[in-house]
Amino acid sequence: MTSAAASPPPPAPAPPRRRPAWAGRNYSLLAVAAFVTTLGAHGALIASAFAVLDAGGDGGDVGLVAAARTLFLVVFLLVGGAVADRLPRHHVMVAANALNFLSQGAFALLILQGDPKLWQMMALSALGGTGQAFFNPAAEGMLMASVSGEHASRAFAMFRMGMSGAAVGGAALGGAMVAAIGPGWVLAVDAAAFVVAGALRMFLDVSHIAPRVPGSGLLSDMRDGWREFIGRPWLWTIVAQFSVVVAVVGAAEAVFGPLVARDELGGAGPWGLALGAFGVGTILGGLLMMRWKPQRLLFAATLSVFSLALPSAALAIPVPLPALVAVMFVSGVTIEIFGVSWITALHQEIPEEKLSRVSAYDWFGSVAMVPLATALAGPAESAFGRTPSLWGCAALVVVATTAVLFVPDVRNLRRRPPAPVAAGALPAAQKADATGR
């Protein structure tokens, strides 16, 4: 009796976790905020196109409004990356969200008041692209700083899977809302999404990140980022590869795909089904990458890119709709294999204080040639014909991807084992969550 009475009481059961151990507070805030803005942005893409058409514009005008956004995104990306490595990244993200709220809110108000001018819509679209140029490098750097190396692949796969689901849902919801309430109100909803996301990002904790040490100037920081970028053959060769791949795939899907659907597949409905299959594939690809951790990160990533030639080839034949849906689905799965492996390699190899600058060069290379490729798609069809142009797109993907495999670092860069953590210690990215800050 005395011995039993002296025994310490059994420990209280630990409260159940509402999220995985690797999903810290910062990661969760980033994921929820990004889901909200992605949902709104994909609805806004449809709304802005219909806003231009409802105002009396044509397909060329829609392209001009979209091009204005892309042009200013490209122009300011490298500056945005340098700024995000000089200032606290969450401050840059919130400021960019505020700019996007203002531009998209003004766009909505312009449409709701009636009689918008093309130059006004282009100017507001350009302002939105500027905000995105500052936001993207800061957001990618903040995401990579929010997880530890051991859980990086799973965290990135979960994050990308959420974005894929938001993109699919946002496009479907946006189309329905445009039909029900009009494009102006959909743009207003997107503006509100930036307010919600910016408010969430204000609560990000950066106490575990070393204070920024300002360099000798913004241009000096940009040059330092360039040296970091160009000094890694695996990095600049894959970015160069994707300058080609993203451009020709974008041209095939944005220009040739709708034309083939109209002439061979029965119109917009079948093409929407094919694009939906791609979206479903990205979600399942994210699920795959939560479990699969290829040891040769970039070799596996590069091999997966070959499948991106399949949609262009399928449109060139053209194959029946079920085959096209299957091809788009496979492409969606494999692009997630690349995406998760790629961001894991960046997280592993690039110093934390240079993540945003390197991310900016990555983004710049990926989008810089898209406007040129989409602009040249029509002339290429006139000069060579649609089928040869599509085969050319497929061939460029294969050639660019094959060339990258000759780079030794691409074939040989391996996933590192997680660094040992001292007993009782926590990885830096999880300290804020553990302390409730």
Side-chain angles (χ1 to χ4, degrees):
M1 291 290 293
T2 304
S3 173
S7 299
R17 292 190 64 93
R18 290 174 293 178
R19 58 191 183 218
W22 47 265
R25 180 172 178 267
N26 276 1
Y27 174 87
S28 300
L29 286 170
L30 289 167
V32 173
F35 184 89
V36 169
T37 51
T38 302
L39 196 68
H42 280 75
L45 284 175
I46 299 172
S48 61
F50 277 92
V52 175
L53 296 174
D54 289 350
D58 56 16
D61 294 331
V62 173
L64 286 173
V65 173
R69 183 180 187 90
T70 304
L71 176 62
F72 275 71
L73 168 64
V74 170
V75 167
F76 286 104
L77 260 173
L78 300 184
V79 177
V83 168
D85 277 339
R86 289 175 67 87
L87 302 175
R89 291 189 182 115
H90 65 313
H91 290 172
V92 178
M93 294 166 70
V94 172
N97 284 164
L99 180 59
N100 284 127
F101 160 69
L102 292 173
S103 63
Q104 206 72 320
F107 201 162
L109 188 61
L110 184 70
I111 301 304
L112 291 172
Q113 287 181 335
D115 195 28
K117 303 294 188 292
L118 178 61
W119 70 266
Q120 295 171 322
M121 293 185 284
M122 289 178 64
L124 291 170
S125 182
L127 195 60
T130 303
Q132 188 179 356
F134 283 86
F135 176 82
N136 286 351
E140 195 155 297
M142 194 72 197
L143 174 65
M144 286 189 273
S146 72
V147 296
S148 65
E150 180 183 1
H151 303 296
S153 289
R154 179 173 293 180
F156 297 145
M158 174 67 80
F159 187 91
R160 288 177 61 91
M161 189 168 60
M163 298 311 97
S164 297
V168 174
L173 185 60
M177 289 177 66
V178 166
I181 61 176
W185 289 110
V186 176
L187 291 169
V189 170
D190 185 44
F194 283 112
V195 175
V196 174
L200 289 171
R201 288 163 178 145
M202 289 178 66
F203 291 98
L204 292 169
D205 180 82
V206 294
S207 60
H208 62 283
I209 299 176
R212 302 284 180 234
V213 179
S216 55
L218 190 64
L219 289 177
S220 176
D221 284 355
M222 291 172 66
R223 287 194 296 269
D224 189 38
W226 171 253
R227 286 190 292 269
E228 187 73 32
F229 174 78
I230 204 66
R232 301 174 185 270
W234 61 267
L235 179 56
W236 67 261
T237 53
I238 288 181
V239 171
Q241 169 205 11
F242 263 73
S243 294
V244 175
V245 171
V246 172
V248 298
V249 169
E253 294 188 358
V255 179
F256 296 127
L259 295 174
V260 173
R262 181 195 65 189
D263 297 340
E264 306 288 346
L265 301 176
W271 182 237
L273 181 63
L275 293 177
F278 178 85
V280 173
T282 62
I283 295 171
L284 292 184
L287 284 172
L288 169 66
M289 294 307 291
M290 288 189 68
R291 293 184 172 273
W292 183 39
K293 295 182 178 181
Q295 291 303 304
R296 289 200 286 174
L297 282 165
L298 297 180
F299 184 66
T302 302
L303 289 179
S304 71
V305 177
F306 281 107
S307 70
L308 297 186
L310 294 178
S312 295
L315 291 169
I317 294 174
V319 299
L321 180 61
L324 179 61
V325 167
V327 162
M328 296 293 283
F329 172 80
V330 170
S331 299
V333 173
T334 55
I335 195 60
E336 286 305 296
I337 295 174
F338 173 84
V340 174
S341 300
W342 175 246
I343 195 171
T344 302
L346 292 177
H347 176 267
Q348 173 178 291
E349 299 295 325
I350 306 300
E352 189 279 333
E353 69 275 8
K354 298 180 181 180
L355 283 173
S356 290
R357 276 169 285 179
V358 170
S359 174
Y361 282 103
D362 178 18
W363 274 95
F364 181 87
S366 296
V367 303
M369 290 180 62
V370 171
L372 179 63
T374 52
L376 291 177
E381 182 181 18
S382 300
F384 308 111
R386 186 186 303 166
T387 296
S389 297
L390 281 164
W391 282 118
C393 290
L396 284 171
V397 172
V398 172
V399 169
T401 304
T402 302
V404 167
L405 289 175
F406 284 95
V407 179
D409 286 350
V410 172
R411 299 194 307 271
N412 300 325
L413 190 145
R414 293 184 176 272
R415 183 188 302 270
R416 293 178 191 163
V421 179
L426 285 173
Q430 297 179 15
K431 284 181 180 177
D433 186 53
T435 57
R437 297 175 62 183

